[in-house]
Amino acid sequence: MTADLLAEDGIRFATRATGLLAAFNERGVLAATDVHVARRLGLLGGEGDEQVLLAAALVVRALRAGSVCLDLAAVDRTVLAEGDEVVDTSDLPWPDPAPWTAACAASPLVGGDDQAGTGRPLRLVDGLLYLDRYWRQEQQVRDTLARRAAAPSPSVDTDRLRGALDRLYPAHPDAPDDAQRRAVAVCTLRWTSVLAGGPGTGKTTTVATLLAVLRDQDPSLRIALAAPTGKAAARMQEALAEVDLPDADRARIAGLSASTIHRLLGPIRGSSRFRHDRHRHLPFDVVVVDETSMVSLTLMARLLEAVRPDARLVLVGDPDQLASVEAGAVLGDLVAAPADPEPGLDRALERVAAPGPPVRGGVTVLDRTWRFHGTIARLAGAIREGDADEAVAALRAGEHDVVFVEDSDLTTRDPGGLAELREEVVGSAAETELAALDGDAALALARLDEHRLLCAHRRGPYGVTRWAADVERWLLEAGPVADRDEEWYPGRPLLVTANDHDRGIYNGDTGVVIGTPRGPRAAFARGGAPVEIAPSLLDGIATVYAMTVHRAQGSQFARVSVVLPPAESPLLTRELLYTAVTRARVRVRLVGSEEAVRAAIARPIGRASGLRRGL
């Protein structure tokens, strides 16, 4: 393979590529690896049509950009979803969709939608081109959900359910809205349910109430709590422990702990499979998955096959946030999928819950915000609804909880207008270091989450690498509280970049170094007392003075500052801006231009998927 590659100005080209593959590779749309895979498939399958080989390469590229498949009629909108460089594709020789689709359908590399399979590496179904593996995973998810929906409903004592809901949702003006009560009822009465809503809409409170209600129905129920990342799992466990419930109901859910989905399924070293699968189901009666928007199609397929058919599965998350880093947007597909009403479920709901719209597909959406109000809620709502004028008005309202820093030249060493950002970063780091020097892990972790600097890019003048270096320089110029000559100095903010199952820390977790009588220790939040680990036992650790919005998903901070790239950046999307803004509980600072804000809101992510069509 290396003979086919040539490094030139940081871009890698496939030197033996010709025709369409060469044109798209030279423009940067296709990586050399995409071209190599397509050429190898062509050689093995006897396919020489360059349109088909281009489609194969674009499928591989689309997967890296988060799409499960390639929509041949809209490829230029779905395949170019990632990358820090702007790529203009308007003058590339894109094939016409109709003959392109016909050429792919006639190719020996491409099979159809027959379940038996053809042994061919690609599948073409309804104009969507898949790698065979992902088509099978999509089918598996769809078929499993269909079987669970068609099964007889769980056995529920409706009188007891109504009594529990009356106790937990008393009828007075300060009580949570009826949507939460209705959501608990839906999740109780169905094997599979989806609880959707933005940050602060009461999803965690609803989950805690649901678990108390289910244990009230059957105290022996075995419950598993999971999330895609260790950080999200820790937050889930912490949040559930903080929900205010009557003593008897609090006792029903006491002792529950959350883990990552990978840890729940049981990873097998050296394999992409898990110990729990369709042959060895999970031993739980209820499985609740938080932050489901971050779950890829592959992981969802593995989870669904491992959950017992007679176990409740509750998928919780915000479909308006960024989807998983890997291919798929399963939660968004589940929430947006057309579904028929369920008269039987609606009749059962009439006996236990407040009136509401017909439930479709077991989906309940909570839309009343409880965590933050004011301008942050106004801004987040405008972004979610695609209202750029309202979003800009919120940014310029001059309120204390939303700050808009416009027109700074972020390409310079010290951009103007960022004195307050610098002061906040330095102050937050100093408070973290003081707590870390005292050996107070819990306080140091709390201080670490007081403020976070978020970027859309990893590299360049708007990226994490540059801004992290700037923060370190600011801290040195301010005068360090701790001695940073040592690698493991107290107060050093940590980011885990690789899963460590033995230590119980996972890619995306954040922590802080603290000083102890035994020497420095890396502290990580885990839902209860922080976990402290000797640095010598750690691998895959980076310093995190700034992080990407993707990395921050599943976390909350008191205050966030967001560095926006230029309007033409392909990473600047509605979902990224919404996710960044909603990481803040108290205040959000947006650094960028009005043009960038408007471009982001006008650019929802286009992930090609066929899942919702058959749900």
Side-chain angles (χ1 to χ4, degrees), residues 113-190:
D113 60 357
D114 54 299
Q115 290 286 349
T118 61
R120 301 181 184 186
L122 300 170
R123 296 265 189 166
L124 180 63
V125 182
D126 296 331
L128 303 178
L129 189 64
Y130 298 79
L131 287 182
D132 182 72
R133 168 190 171 188
Y134 289 91
W135 180 83
R136 290 180 180 275
Q137 289 175 355
E138 194 173 272
Q139 285 294 107
Q140 179 187 335
V141 169
R142 184 184 294 113
D143 293 346
T144 303
L145 291 174
R147 286 195 300 271
R148 292 177 62 85
S153 301
S155 177
V156 175
D157 184 335
T158 54
D159 290 336
R160 192 173 185 87
L161 173 59
R162 183 172 57 249
L165 292 173
D166 288 343
R167 179 179 71 253
L168 291 161
Y169 291 104
H172 59 77
D174 295 329
D177 59 2
D178 290 334
Q180 291 187 25
R181 174 176 178 141
R182 191 171 177 83
V184 170
V186 170
C187 296
T188 302
L189 295 165
R190 233 176 168 272

Side-chain angles (χ1 to χ4, degrees), residues 77-442:
R77 296 192 301 274
T78 58
V79 74
L80 303 176
E82 285 191 358
D84 289 354
E85 300 298 327
V86 177
V87 178
D88 180 9
T89 68
S90 59
D91 60 341
L92 283 173
W94 292 98
D96 291 333
W100 197 10
T101 302
C104 290
S107 172
L109 298 178
V110 181
D113 60 357
D114 54 299
Q115 290 286 349
T118 61
R120 301 181 184 186
L122 300 170
R123 296 265 189 166
L124 180 63
V125 182
D126 296 331
L128 303 178
L129 189 64
Y130 298 79
L131 287 182
D132 182 72
R133 168 190 171 188
Y134 289 91
W135 180 83
R136 290 180 180 275
Q137 289 175 355
E138 194 173 272
Q139 285 294 107
Q140 179 187 335
V141 169
R142 184 184 294 113
D143 293 346
T144 303
L145 291 174
R147 286 195 300 271
R148 292 177 62 85
S153 301
S155 177
V156 175
D157 184 335
T158 54
D159 290 336
R160 192 173 185 87
L161 173 59
R162 183 172 57 249
L165 292 173
D166 288 343
R167 179 179 71 253
L168 291 161
Y169 291 104
H172 59 77
D174 295 329
D177 59 2
D178 290 334
Q180 291 187 25
R181 174 176 178 141
R182 191 171 177 83
V184 170
V186 170
C187 296
T188 302
L189 295 165
R190 233 176 168 272
W191 290 120
T192 309
S193 51
V194 177
L195 179 61
T201 53
K203 297 190 298 295
T204 301
T205 301
T206 303
V207 168
T209 307
L210 166 67
L211 299 179
V213 166
L214 291 175
R215 280 272 177 86
D216 181 62
Q217 289 276 322
D218 181 355
S220 68
L221 285 178
R222 294 164 293 179
I223 298 172
L225 308 176
T229 67
K231 180 71 172 180
R235 280 194 52 78
M236 181 187 192
Q237 186 171 325
E238 292 167 359
L240 286 173
E242 294 170 357
V243 174
D244 185 20
L245 292 174
D247 291 343
D249 293 296
R250 164 57 56 194
R252 290 187 174 98
I253 65 172
L256 292 177
S257 62
S259 73
T260 64
I261 299 173
H262 284 80
R263 187 173 182 182
L264 176 70
L265 295 177
I268 300 174
R269 291 187 182 277
S271 172
S272 61
R273 303 294 301 186
F274 296 95
R275 292 186 180 89
H276 292 287
D277 55 20
R278 70 188 67 184
H279 304 295
R280 186 182 179 187
H281 289 140
L282 290 164
F284 298 102
D285 305 299
V286 182
V287 177
V288 181
V289 179
D290 198 12
E291 296 291 349
T292 309
S293 64
M294 300 166 64
V295 179
S296 67
L297 174 67
T298 299
L299 188 56
M300 182 60 71
R302 299 289 175 261
L303 175 66
L304 284 174
E305 72 177 6
V307 175
R308 294 197 338 255
D310 59 344
R312 286 181 176 86
L313 175 64
V314 183
L315 304 175
V316 185
D318 184 353
D320 295 309
Q321 288 188 24
L322 286 165
S324 62
V325 175
E326 298 177 38
V330 178
L331 181 66
D333 285 337
L334 293 178
V335 172
D340 295 328
E342 302 176 49
L345 177 61
D346 289 333
R347 286 193 296 270
L349 287 173
E350 289 174 1
R351 297 194 292 271
V352 299
V359 176
R360 297 175 182 270
V363 176
T364 306
V365 179
L366 304 179
D367 55 11
R368 180 178 177 182
T369 301
W370 298 85
R371 178 182 300 157
F372 48 69
H373 303 281
T375 319
I376 294 180
R378 177 185 173 190
L379 175 60
I383 296 170
R384 185 179 60 246
E385 298 300 321
D387 189 339
D389 290 338
E390 174 66 7
V392 171
L395 287 169
R396 291 193 169 138
E399 299 294 339
H400 71 281
D401 54 346
V402 171
V403 178
F404 190 25
V405 182
E406 288 189 82
D407 300 328
S408 292
D409 184 3
L410 301 184
T411 61
T412 63
R413 178 178 173 86
D414 287 297
L418 295 182
E420 289 186 4
L421 170 61
R422 178 170 178 160
E423 181 180 343
E424 185 157 32
V425 168
V426 171
S428 178
E431 291 180 357
T432 302
E433 288 181 359
L434 286 171
L437 284 167
D438 289 341
D440 191 334

